Amino acid sequence: MSDTASPVGVAVLGLGNVGSEVVRIIESSADDLAARIGAPLVLRGVGVRHVSADRGVPAELLTDDIEALVSRSDVDIVLELMGPVEPARKAILSAIAHGKSVVTANKALLSRSAGELAEAAEAARVDLYFEASVAGAIPVIRPLTQSLAGDTVERVAGIVNGTTNYILSEMDATGADYHSALADASALGYAEADPTADVEGYDAAAKAAILASIAFHTRVTADDVYREGISNITPADFTAARALDCTIKLLAICERITTAAGQQRVSARVYPALVPLSHPLATVNGAFNAVVVEAQAAGRLMFYGQGAGGAPTASAVTGDLVMAARNRVQGGRGPRESKYAQLAIAPIGDISTRYYVSMDVADKPGVLSSVAAEFASHEVSIAEVRQEGVIDDEGKPIGARIVVVTHRAPEASLSKTVAALADLDSVQRVASVLRLEGTDQ
C-alpha cells in the first residue's frame, strides 16, 4: 500500500445489529482492511433516525440528516443498512446521484426497485453491491454474477429464510404443531414480533426475485414470484412425509423452463415442499440456510451457512465494502446489471412437479375409486395412494384419510383436480396439498 494513498470515506446508514457490527469491523480491522484495499477506510458518519449519546460510536459521527451525510464530498461509499423500502430508496438514489458507490442489504427494496437502482448506478458510473441481501454471510450473489458468468444457470433452489426453517425443523424433530414451534422461534429471537413476512413467504419471495434476476439475466420482481407460506403445515403432514422418506422445507425455487414451443421462460416460486431425505437440502436444519445452484458446465453447487444475524450479514456487507473500495482506489468497477435475456415470467399453472394431496373422506366403499377417477379425468397420474382410518379422542372411527402422491403434472391440472375433489360428496375436506421437489419422476 502506498503511504500517500487517499483514504476511502465511508458513511453507514443504520445502527441496528448489522450496522453496529459493520462499524465494529471497520474500526477493529482497520489495518487489515487497509492492506487488502490499498488505502485506509475512514468512517465519516453514521446516519440514524434519532441521535442519542448511548449508541456505541462517537457522538460527533452520528446524524439524523441522511441527505447531508450521503452528499458529503469526503464520503466515497455509502452502506445502506437501515431499511425498509423508504427512506432507503431515496437515500440510495441520492448517494448515487452524488457519485457515491453503494452497498445495501435491503432485499425488500432490491426485489422491487433493483432495475431503477442499477440504472442510476450505471448512469453515475458507480458500484452497487448487495451480497448481504440474500442468505447473510453465504456467498451466493458473487458466484452467480462472477464465478458462473461464463456458464448457463438452469436452476437455483434453496432454503433462504432461517425463521421458517427453524420452525419446520422443530415440527419435524419434536412433533410440535405450527403455533408451538413459532412460539419457540420467537422466544429464541429467530422470529420477529410480527412474523408475517417470514412465515407467509414474503421474505423468501424477495430473495427469490433477486436470485432469479441475476441467474437468468432478466428483471424479476417480488410480484412475479408465486408465494405460499408455512402456517397451514400440520404434524400430520410431517407424519406423511416421514412415511415417504421425506421432510418438509420452505423452498425458494428459480428455474429456467422451456415451453413446448421451445420458448425459454423464468419460473420463480416459494412454497413448502416435501424434500427426500437423500437430498442435500433435507439436512439443512435450524436457522441455517442453503442454496443449490445447477449450471450446465459446473453441475450442482451448494452454498451453506448462517443465513441471518448481525455478524454473518455484516461479514457480507464488509466484503462488498472491500470490493467497492478497491474499485475506488484502482479505478475499476464491479459487475453491472445483466438483463439482456429479458425472458418472460412463467405463470405457476405452467409449472410441472409432483404433488402430495391429503384429504379426509367418508369411510365407505367406493370412495377411493371416485377419488382416483378425478385424478384420471384431469390427467394427473397417481404414483402412490394410501388410505387409513381416522379415530376421535375416544378411539371411535370418524372417517378415513386418503393420501395421494402423484407423478409429475402441470400445476393447472392439479388445481383443477383439487377443486373437483372438494366438490365430491364423499370428500369431507382436502386437508393439505404440497409439492414434492428433488425427484426426477
Side-chain angles (χ1 to χ4, degrees):
M1 182 180 69
S2 170
D3 293 335
T4 60
S6 299
V8 178
V10 180
V12 176
L13 309 184
L15 201 58
N17 290 338
V18 178
S20 297
E21 182 65 14
V22 169
V23 169
R24 186 196 67 79
I25 293 172
I26 291 174
E27 293 176 341
S28 64
S29 302
D31 291 343
D32 285 342
L33 293 175
R36 297 167 193 173
I37 292 165
L41 291 177
V42 177
L43 186 62
R44 301 297 191 190
V46 179
V48 293
R49 289 188 176 89
H50 305 288
V51 175
S52 60
D54 188 20
R55 298 305 297 265
V57 298
E60 62 271 18
L61 291 177
L62 297 175
T63 179
D64 58 6
D65 191 342
I66 303 298
E67 175 64 27
L69 177 59
V70 302
S71 63
R72 281 174 50 171
S73 60
D74 60 350
V75 168
D76 301 294
I77 301 172
V78 172
L79 311 184
E80 186 281 303
L81 306 172
M82 57 183 181
V85 172
E86 293 292 359
R89 173 183 165 276
K90 179 181 178 182
I92 290 175
L93 289 174
S94 179
I96 290 172
H98 285 92
K100 322 300 181 184
S101 291
V102 172
V103 174
T104 179
N106 197 326
K107 55 187 173 289
L109 172 60
L110 289 165
S111 70
R112 286 168 168 78
S113 302
E116 177 188 23
L117 301 182
E119 287 179 357
E122 181 64 23
R125 300 189 63 77
V126 298
D127 287 331
L128 175 66
Y129 283 104
F130 47 91
E131 180 67 63
S133 64
V134 178
I138 305 171
V140 176
I141 303 299
R142 195 164 289 118
L144 287 172
T145 56
Q146 298 182 39
S147 303
L148 297 174
D151 208 336
T152 299
V153 176
E154 299 289 358
R155 180 180 169 95
V156 181
I159 298 164
V160 296
N161 182 272
T163 300
T164 52
N165 201 48
Y166 176 84
I167 292 171
L168 293 175
S169 297
E170 283 296 293
M171 292 178 70
D172 191 12
T174 69
D177 63 19
Y178 163 76
H179 295 288
S180 297
L182 173 58
D184 288 343
S186 298
L188 292 170
Y190 291 136
E192 301 287 345
D194 180 0
T196 302
D198 292 322
V199 300
E200 296 303 335
Y202 291 100
D203 175 83
K207 295 170 182 175
I210 295 169
L211 291 172
S213 297
I214 297 169
F216 306 121
H217 309 281
T218 296
R219 282 186 182 171
V220 179
T221 70
D223 291 337
D224 296 321
V225 181
Y226 177 83
R227 176 196 53 78
E228 291 180 15
I230 67 167
S231 56
N232 292 324
I233 301 298
T234 67
D237 293 326
F238 277 100
T239 299
R242 284 190 289 273
L244 297 168
D245 292 325
C246 292
T247 187
I248 300 173
K249 298 293 185 183
L250 182 72
L251 298 183
I253 301 172
C254 310
E255 188 173 28
R256 184 194 304 270
I257 65 172
T258 304
T259 67
Q263 297 175 324
Q264 288 195 345
R265 293 185 178 182
V266 171
S267 168
R269 54 199 193 268
V270 169
Y271 45 58
L274 275 72
V275 179
L277 295 177
S278 58
H279 194 281
L281 289 177
T283 62
V284 179
N285 293 314
F288 281 79
N289 284 190
V291 176
V292 176
V293 178
E294 297 177 21
Q296 286 184 2
R300 176 184 282 182
L301 308 171
M302 182 170 174
F303 304 88
Y304 168 84
Q306 293 278 4
T313 304
S315 172
V317 170
T318 309
D320 280 350
L321 170 60
V322 169
M323 298 298 293
R326 282 175 178 167
N327 292 340
R328 284 276 169 165
V329 172
Q330 299 171 7
R333 289 185 59 198
R336 282 72 151 176
E337 181 192 27
S338 176
K339 58 182 178 62
Y340 72 88
Q342 298 182 336
L343 301 178
I345 307 299
I348 188 65
D350 289 355
I351 305 305
S352 289
T353 188
R354 301 181 66 196
Y355 303 90
Y356 150 91
V357 183
S358 172
M359 65 205 86
D360 294 335
V361 300
D363 191 5
K364 61 183 182 181
V367 173
L368 186 56
S369 61
S370 64
V371 166
E374 291 298 342
F375 280 88
S377 67
H378 293 93
E379 299 183 337
V380 178
S381 175
I382 293 176
E384 182 178 342
V385 62
R386 186 173 71 254
Q387 182 172 344
E388 57 189 27
V390 178
I391 59 175
D392 62 16
D393 294 337
E394 298 178 355
K396 297 178 180 178
I398 56 175
R401 177 171 293 121
I402 294 177
V403 173
V404 174
V405 178
T406 76
H407 289 295
R408 189 172 292 274
E411 181 86 18
S413 299
L414 193 281
S415 295
K416 292 176 182 177
T417 304
V418 171
L421 290 171
D423 287 338
L424 289 178
D425 292 337
S426 57
V427 175
Q428 297 164 353
R429 70 181 182 118
V430 177
S432 185
V433 178
L434 294 172
R435 287 88 176 170
L436 177 57
E437 297 285 352
T439 70
D440 297 325
Q441 300 179 1

